[in-house]
Amino acid sequence: MIDQRASDIGDPVERLRYLRKAMDVPRPVARERAPRRHGRIPARVLLALVPIGVIALTPRPTGTAETLVRERGLTIPRADGAQAAAWGSVPRIWMVENSETTEIYSNGLRIDRTFLVNNRPRAAFPVFPLTGGSTPVTMRSTPAGIVYHTSESLLAPFDEQDNRRLRQLGRNLLDVVREERAYHYVIDRFGRVFAVVADTDAADHAGHSVWADADGIYVNLNDSFLAVSFEGQTGAPDAITPAQIASAKVLTQMLRSRYSIPADNCVTHAQVSVNPLNMRIGAHTDWGGSFPFAQVGLPDNYSMPLASIYAFGFEFDNAFIERTNGWKGLYAAAEQVDRRAAYEHVPAARYRAMLQHRYKEIAAEIKEQKETEGDNP
Ligand SMILES: [Zn+2]
């Protein structure tokens, strides 16, 4: 009901204000974990984390049943059993045939390998706790998710008369992507799927970025998430062709099957991108709106609360709301921060500053580790 009323409010700022008021429930975030005990943390880090540690250790209050239901609806939009299970699994997809140039899969996916190159091998990447310190919960080395991009390259009208130009532009794009090791997969406007950077390697696609699932938070997703790019432009969602969407669906199925990727970890660049300089989200805005989640066989992940906001205190401005037409996940995440701050009796700005401080600690540790490894971050 709240959603419905909110969608009737045209002005995005008013809408946010309404949602904030309507969902004013003083209870901490639902996806919380106890901080882990750990042996090896420098004293300066421990000191810096004291205020956050105190917050993370505060016991949860007990809410009324109604509060709990509302809370769950807000933080985990698809928590109702049957639907979550339906999105949660994909049928097993297997490789039917492969050659130097082509891979064919049991769901009809066909991958062109002629542009395939290596980059640096995928590094083991840390997964950080949703709350608490900056010590990883675990290290992983298989892809945890998929980030969808648009190529932002030149587009010709999708018309038979422009066939030559369409082919040439697609080819130019593949040359650039290969040169820059920018994405694992490119889907051209005819729906052809090209493997560019090998799955075993990292692609340089996500820069400063954040996403989270029940296991924890992923920071800077080049190693942890695969990149699938549509030949297309952010401002021209209509230029995405039905063939591209059909291919994205079978490619997503195959990758989810191969790496056991949860549906909630298949998200767009705009959803994960952050700018540490101004502590705002959306440094990149490709697929900032109108990603065809349903047609690609995924739940509406725009409704997922953004970990960059609720776990790391990143902010967004009205321009971003306008540009994205206000995803539910933005409001849900901002709301979590406000409620958590209210529950802790800390002004929201101060609570956000604590979260931001934690992000900076983690980002600094990652940078340090990359430099130790001699990697180019
Ligand atoms: Zn992108």
Side-chain angles (χ1 to χ4, degrees):
M1 195 178 72
I2 291 170
D3 279 345
Q4 205 155 25
R5 274 198 203 149
S7 65
D8 292 339
I9 303 173
D11 177 45
V13 181
E14 278 306 311
R15 190 161 60 228
L16 178 57
R17 197 170 289 147
Y18 166 78
L19 279 164
R20 290 191 162 205
K21 225 174 135 187
M23 296 176 177
D24 189 24
V25 186
R27 222 185 140 260
V29 294
R31 302 163 85 194
E32 193 180 352
R33 285 171 169 238
R36 272 168 47 105
R37 303 258 167 234
H38 30 61
R40 186 199 55 83
I41 294 193
R44 79 187 152 78
V45 176
L46 274 180
L47 277 176
L49 289 173
V50 162
I52 294 157
V54 169
I55 283 174
L57 287 166
T58 316
R60 294 180 186 195
T62 48
T64 62
E66 190 197 354
T67 306
L68 286 170
V69 168
R70 286 172 74 187
E71 176 84 15
R72 225 171 272 140
L74 181 64
T75 53
I76 312 170
R78 288 176 300 283
D80 66 299
Q83 210 194 352
W87 292 116
S89 61
V90 278
R92 168 97 185 111
I93 312 294
W94 67 93
M95 192 191 278
V96 176
E97 246 178 63
N98 74 322
S99 68
E100 275 291 293
T101 57
T102 315
E103 291 172 9
I104 294 171
Y105 289 85
S106 58
N107 65 346
L109 170 66
R110 185 187 182 93
I111 295 179
D112 186 312
R113 294 166 50 93
T114 50
F115 287 80
L116 190 62
V117 281
N118 281 104
N119 194 21
R120 62 191 161 81
R122 175 185 311 287
F125 54 86
V127 186
F128 296 96
L130 288 165
T131 59
S134 57
T135 302
V137 187
T138 181
M139 299 292 286
R140 284 185 53 180
S141 52
T142 53
I146 300 171
V147 175
Y148 299 101
H149 300 261
T150 48
S151 63
E152 300 302 304
S153 51
L154 266 182
L155 303 180
F158 197 69
D159 195 297
E160 190 172 350
Q161 286 155 6
D162 292 285
N163 196 46
R164 235 183 96 121
R165 182 126 192 279
L166 286 162
R167 283 171 50 199
Q168 188 57 51
L169 289 174
R171 165 82 209 216
N172 294 352
L173 170 64
L174 285 161
D175 285 336
V176 172
V177 170
R178 181 170 56 179
E179 181 69 29
E180 295 183 352
R181 311 295 199 257
Y183 309 116
H184 295 95
Y185 296 93
V186 171
I187 305 175
D188 80 2
R189 296 185 73 209
F190 302 113
R192 293 181 295 182
V193 179
F194 295 86
V196 184
V197 175
D199 278 13
T200 50
D201 295 358
D204 301 318
H205 65 104
H208 295 293
S209 45
V210 174
W211 194 250
D213 59 23
D215 292 338
I217 306 182
Y218 308 89
V219 179
N220 300 351
L221 310 179
N222 282 349
D223 285 286
S224 47
F225 279 56
L226 294 165
V228 171
S229 186
F230 293 67
E231 184 180 9
Q233 286 181 7
T234 299
D238 295 343
I240 299 295
T241 65
Q244 283 178 295
I245 294 171
S247 293
K249 182 175 183 174
V250 286
L251 176 60
T252 299
Q253 278 176 350
M254 185 279 283
L255 294 172
R256 289 191 59 204
S257 166
R258 179 183 280 173
Y259 299 111
S260 303
I261 294 172
D264 290 350
N265 281 3
C266 301
V267 289
T268 72
H269 196 186
Q271 290 174 275
V272 301
S273 172
V274 297
N275 182 353
L277 296 177
N278 63 10
M279 290 307 287
R280 287 194 171 158
I281 61 165
H284 291 262
T285 54
D286 41 327
W287 285 122
S290 58
F291 185 82
F293 280 112
Q295 289 167 276
V296 174
L298 293 167
D300 173 18
N301 281 341
Y302 285 132
S303 64
M304 294 289 293
L306 280 73
S308 50
I309 297 172
Y310 72 75
F312 290 148
F314 278 86
E315 299 186 77
F316 53 92
D317 55 18
N318 290 341
F320 189 79
I321 299 176
E322 293 284 0
R323 222 174 313 147
T324 58
N325 206 15
W327 314 322
K328 254 197 241 172
L330 286 177
Y331 305 127
E335 191 53 37
Q336 280 189 19
V337 172
D338 282 359
R339 273 180 298 133
R340 183 72 205 204
Y343 172 69
E344 302 292 348
H345 302 292
V346 178
R350 184 156 161 249
Y351 181 66
R352 246 191 323 268
M354 290 182 203
L355 297 177
Q356 292 184 0
H357 183 81
R358 179 168 177 246
Y359 167 78
K360 284 170 186 167
E361 288 285 345
I362 287 176
E365 280 193 23
I366 288 177
K367 193 162 173 245
E368 204 174 304
Q369 184 158 7
K370 287 272 174 202
E371 279 164 6
T372 316
E373 287 166 3
D375 259 348
N376 287 325

